[in-house]
Amino acid sequence: MNRRSRAVAQRARARPAHLVAFDLLRHVGTELLSWSYAERRAASSSLFQGQGLQAPWALTP
């Protein structure tokens, strides 16, 4: 890949990246692995809503 800044910027605009989250395993230094999936999912949803996250961030349905 050409690493010149103009070429990188053009490619990023042409093919933007998105982060798709499906689980929350750790948050603010707290490990959540002992939580049930339903509890982690509720925390993920709350985090997304509370932070007003939107594209390029996505929480799987």
Side-chain angles (χ1 to χ4, degrees):
M1 178 176 210
N2 186 336
R3 293 187 183 179
R4 292 184 301 206
S5 62
R6 179 178 286 158
V8 171
Q10 288 172 342
R11 288 186 177 133
R13 280 191 300 276
R15 296 179 187 256
H18 292 266
L19 175 68
V20 178
F22 61 92
D23 203 351
L24 185 63
L25 304 178
R26 187 177 194 89
H27 181 59
V28 191
T30 301
E31 186 176 289
L32 307 179
L33 295 173
S34 63
W35 293 19
S36 70
Y37 177 73
E39 291 171 315
R40 294 192 315 270
R41 179 61 187 200
S44 298
S45 294
S46 177
L47 178 65
F48 265 70
Q49 291 171 357
Q51 296 297 315
L53 297 175
Q54 52 191 320
W57 297 81
L59 184 60
T60 59

